[in-house]
Amino acid sequence: SIAGRPILERDGTIRVDEVCYLENVDYSTGNVDFPGTIIVDGTVADNFTLRTKGSLMIKKSVGRVFLYAERDIVLSGGVMGRNGGVIESKADVFARFVEQGNIKAGKSIFIEEASLHSELVAGDSITIKGGRGELIGGEAIAGKMISVSKLGAVVETRTEVIVGLPPEILEELRKMKDEIASHEEILRKVKQSMAKLTDPKKVYTPEEKQMLLKLYEVERKYIDLLANTKTQYETLVVSYEPAPYAYVEIEKNLFP
């Protein structure tokens, strides 16, 4: 009648828990995929995955882990990602601090102490307040609002903040820019190869003629691909109007 974790009692009866309680997540449990809420009292070992259709609550800090939830993710400790792992929620993510982490939230991200050299992406807002409230290094992207106590650092750490565009649109634009750069690089190499083979005074071997024909075909193909991708990029840019009321709020200090 309900989805959950089946438990066999000592008397032989079976119950189904809608909440999965775990002391730790490591090789003794393996990766966990559960339809209800997952609560972890202890630690989650590096490179393990927790996936749930409900909420996910972890009471101690996590490292390089992979967490996916359709509802909220609550990290009572924090995140020491060491530039690995992913924490992704379709709703909100709460954490005490984040260092070298990668967090994505369909709605909002709430951090109490600080975000250091991390990638933060939220459909609605990013709020870093309560403790130090610092956003230092890395990149923060929010569809509507970013609110922090302090932005940047005295040593002028590179810190990127983007608001006003849905993160998925921004990601699509970045992919297209990378694709355009890739096509242009291939065309550059093809033209270099053709220049080496092209000499009006030279008598070409059948193999060289075949190679030139192939290079001309590749050139035509990538000229068309480049033109199409540039058209798609320009269409996407002009078709989306940035959110007019998006803003960044800094309560105390804004550093260079």
Side-chain angles (χ1 to χ4, degrees):
S1 62
I2 62 168
R5 185 188 191 197
I7 304 292
L8 179 63
E9 300 281 18
R10 288 187 178 183
D11 62 3
T13 59
I14 293 173
R15 76 171 196 272
V16 177
D17 286 350
E18 292 180 90
V19 178
C20 176
Y21 291 96
L22 297 167
E23 188 173 339
N24 297 299
V25 175
D26 49 31
Y27 288 102
S28 66
T29 61
N31 296 322
V32 179
D33 191 340
F34 183 69
T37 295
I38 300 174
I39 297 176
V40 183
D41 282 327
T43 59
V44 178
D46 283 354
N47 302 313
F48 278 83
T49 300
L50 294 178
R51 193 181 298 271
T52 174
K53 291 180 180 176
S55 297
L56 177 55
M57 302 177 195
I58 300 174
K59 297 185 180 178
K60 292 192 176 178
S61 296
V62 297
R64 193 187 293 109
V65 295
F66 298 86
L67 310 178
Y68 303 94
E70 293 194 10
R71 295 175 67 185
D72 296 344
I73 294 178
V74 180
L75 305 169
S76 299
V79 182
M80 297 281 288
R82 298 190 294 282
N83 295 318
V86 176
I87 295 168
E88 186 170 351
S89 163
K90 289 186 178 178
D92 298 328
V93 177
F94 302 81
R96 192 163 66 83
F97 68 88
V98 184
E99 185 170 349
Q100 295 181 330
N102 185 341
I103 297 181
K104 298 177 183 177
K107 293 183 180 177
S108 297
I109 296 172
F110 300 92
I111 298 168
E112 186 179 341
E113 289 292 337
S115 171
L116 308 174
H117 312 289
S118 297
E119 303 297 312
L120 308 178
V121 179
D124 288 341
S125 65
I126 296 171
T127 302
I128 308 176
K129 288 181 183 179
R132 287 152 44 202
E134 295 175 332
L135 173 57
I136 300 173
E139 183 178 71
I141 303 170
K144 296 177 181 175
M145 179 271 285
I146 294 176
S147 180
V148 300
S149 295
K150 300 175 185 177
L151 180 59
V154 175
V155 293
E156 302 185 15
T157 305
R158 182 179 177 85
T159 307
E160 295 188 58
V161 174
I162 301 169
V163 292
L165 274 176
E168 60 272 14
I169 298 286
L170 196 61
E171 184 62 27
E172 190 65 28
L173 287 170
R174 284 178 169 176
K175 283 181 183 174
M176 284 185 183
K177 283 182 87 170
D178 289 343
E179 207 173 319
I180 287 167
S182 173
H183 293 341
E184 287 175 338
E185 179 62 17
I186 290 168
L187 272 172
R188 187 184 67 79
K189 289 179 178 177
V190 167
K191 288 180 188 296
Q192 277 183 345
S193 300
M194 289 168 68
K196 287 176 184 177
L197 285 171
T198 306
D199 183 352
K201 297 177 183 178
K202 183 178 178 179
V203 178
Y204 292 98
T205 65
E207 290 80 9
E208 287 173 330
K209 286 180 181 178
Q210 191 66 29
M211 175 62 74
L212 263 176
L213 283 172
K214 284 184 179 178
L215 287 169
Y216 280 122
E217 286 174 11
V218 171
E219 184 187 38
R220 281 196 300 270
K221 175 187 172 183
Y222 276 92
I223 285 172
D224 290 343
L225 281 172
L226 183 60
N228 288 336
T229 309
K230 281 184 174 178
T231 302
Q232 289 173 13
Y233 181 86
E234 288 161 10
T235 303
L236 187 57
V237 167
V238 298
S239 67
Y240 191 82
E241 194 68 31
Y245 301 110
Y247 65 94
V248 178
E249 175 187 62
I250 300 116
E251 285 190 342
K252 293 181 182 177
N253 303 110
L254 169 61
F255 297 98

